[in-house]
Amino acid sequence: MVRADIESTVEGMYLEYDTFGDPSDPAFLLVMGLSVQMLAWREEFCEKLASHGYYVIRFDNRDIGLSKHFDHLGPPPLIRRVIYNLLFGRFSKIGTPYTLDDMARDSFGLLTHLGIEKAHIAGCSMGGMICQTMALMSPERVLSLASIMSTTGARNLPDGDLDVRLMLLKRPGPTHEDRVARTVDAINMISRPQTPDPTDLSYYADRVVSRCWHPVGGARQMNAILAQDDRTSSLGGLEMPCVVVHGGGDTLVPVEHGRATAKAIGGDVGLVVIERMGHAISKKFYDVVVTTLVKNASRKKGGGGIDISDLDLTLE
């Protein structure tokens, strides 16, 4: 893993990143979600994607993992924000010290640092929002777009289950073991209806907690999500190949968000709903998700819809 100093309006901006495959192959940038390090793009997943002839890049978003932290901004007033939303409704917009636009510029900055003019991009959850923003901001640099378990930013779409949202706000105890246990519980919760392999999950949780524990950065990222624009009316102008992937069992960002994203993009957008997937790409879904990304990236502009007839979307 390597640190990249990138051009930014922020002094001393840098991102930690990792790559798989041959740099001479077309680039495929993977953007992760809220408060999640790049390690969530597991090595096996990245290697599978790279084996199809792509130079795969994963990285830590700003304020998380080993990328630049923004602690000088202080902790966000989340309690006040929750009360504000309760009083004025979730249709209200709020201020934020940085935005999804800033995070999209970070992603382009990393590509520029690597000498990459154009790339295929895929993002999970908040990463999908960032990728949509990238495609709208500089479409000439985006070869294809995959929005995974994400949303348009529309405020009239259904919320996730309350117990899931409350669990993610729960603070762990002060020890390393407490933080690992909290991470395991959170991933188990959002993965429903799937149950991740407990041994692999414990190893992963220990790895990410040991690497970096920085929940206040995730809180600031949440501010950026809450302040995002509704992209519904803009997404229809995208011309690059687009696919929307969503879990039919997602209890954090319900599948209606994925359907709304596909409807907003329109045209020959692909919509792939994996029936038993929650808000995480478990190992059993690697093949179907990688195949979907490759099929979409291989399409030509105006070349017709994505063929998903050979995908098993009912994996148990």
Side-chain angles (χ1 to χ4, degrees):
M1 297 180 188
V2 186
R3 175 175 295 183
D5 296 313
I6 66 171
E7 292 186 12
S8 172
T9 57
V10 177
E11 184 177 357
M13 184 63 198
Y14 59 86
L15 297 175
E16 188 81 4
Y17 73 97
D18 196 13
T19 63
F20 301 80
D22 188 336
S24 65
D25 286 334
F28 216 126
L29 184 73
L30 303 178
V31 188
M32 194 29 80
L34 172 68
S35 197
V36 182
Q37 300 179 42
M38 66 173 162
L39 299 184
W41 294 112
R42 307 293 284 273
E43 284 83 356
E44 182 180 348
F45 180 93
C46 295
E47 288 165 356
K48 281 180 177 290
L49 184 55
S51 71
H52 289 273
Y54 294 102
Y55 181 51
V56 177
I57 306 152
R58 63 177 183 174
F59 69 101
D60 290 327
N61 280 306
R62 64 164 63 192
D63 233 353
I64 208 70
L66 302 184
S67 289
K68 183 177 177 65
H69 293 174
F70 285 68
D71 294 336
H72 63 283
L73 299 176
L78 285 182
I79 299 300
R80 187 176 70 193
R81 188 139 298 154
V82 169
I83 295 172
Y84 184 90
N85 281 1
L86 286 174
L87 290 174
F88 298 103
R90 60 193 179 100
F91 295 93
S92 58
K93 289 196 62 176
I94 47 96
T96 184
Y98 59 76
T99 67
L100 294 182
D101 282 28
D102 294 319
M103 300 179 81
R105 292 186 186 96
D106 291 346
S107 302
F108 280 129
L110 176 58
L111 292 176
T112 299
H113 171 85
L114 294 171
I116 297 169
E117 180 60 30
K118 299 180 180 182
H120 303 280
I121 61 175
C124 276
S125 197
M126 180 188 73
M129 305 172 206
I130 293 171
C131 285
Q132 292 173 31
T133 303
M134 292 174 70
L136 293 170
M137 181 182 292
S138 297
E140 72 282 358
R141 298 194 67 180
V142 177
L143 296 171
S144 71
L145 165 67
S147 179
I148 306 171
M149 57 187 77
S150 194
T151 187
T152 62
R155 281 144 174 89
N156 62 342
L157 294 171
D159 291 324
D161 288 359
L162 181 60
D163 63 333
V164 179
R165 290 183 287 144
L166 290 176
M167 195 280 167
L168 294 178
L169 292 173
K170 184 179 178 181
R171 293 185 178 181
T175 69
H176 176 85
E177 291 72 20
D178 291 333
R179 293 169 176 176
V180 170
R182 159 65 173 73
T183 302
V184 168
D185 288 344
I187 295 174
N188 273 322
M189 177 73 82
I190 66 173
S191 297
R192 296 184 309 189
Q194 292 297 315
T195 302
D197 175 77
T199 301
D200 177 71
L201 178 54
S202 295
Y203 166 76
Y204 168 78
D206 180 76
R207 187 181 177 198
V208 296
V209 171
S210 299
R211 184 172 182 260
C212 180
W213 181 258
H214 191 242
V216 69
R220 284 189 290 266
Q221 290 180 349
M222 175 59 80
N223 273 17
I225 291 174
L226 293 173
Q228 70 181 307
D229 292 326
D230 180 352
R231 293 174 295 279
T232 301
S233 61
S234 302
L235 290 171
L238 296 180
E239 297 184 352
M240 72 285 294
C242 297
V243 68
V244 175
V245 180
H246 219 100
D250 196 330
T251 56
L252 182 60
V253 181
V255 68
E256 288 84 355
H257 290 250
R259 297 189 191 281
T261 303
K263 182 178 179 180
I265 296 173
D268 58 4
V269 62
L271 173 62
V272 177
V273 177
I274 304 171
E275 294 181 11
R276 297 282 297 171
M277 189 170 81
H279 199 72
I281 305 175
S282 301
K283 185 175 181 178
K284 67 173 59 180
F285 301 124
Y286 285 1
D287 285 340
V288 68
V289 174
V290 166
T291 299
T292 298
L293 299 188
V294 171
K295 281 175 173 284
N296 186 59
S298 302
R299 289 197 290 163
K300 302 298 183 182
K301 178 179 176 181
I306 184 172
D307 179 12
I308 61 173
S309 60
D310 59 336
L311 300 183
D312 183 359
L313 306 179
T314 60
L315 294 164
E316 293 294 332

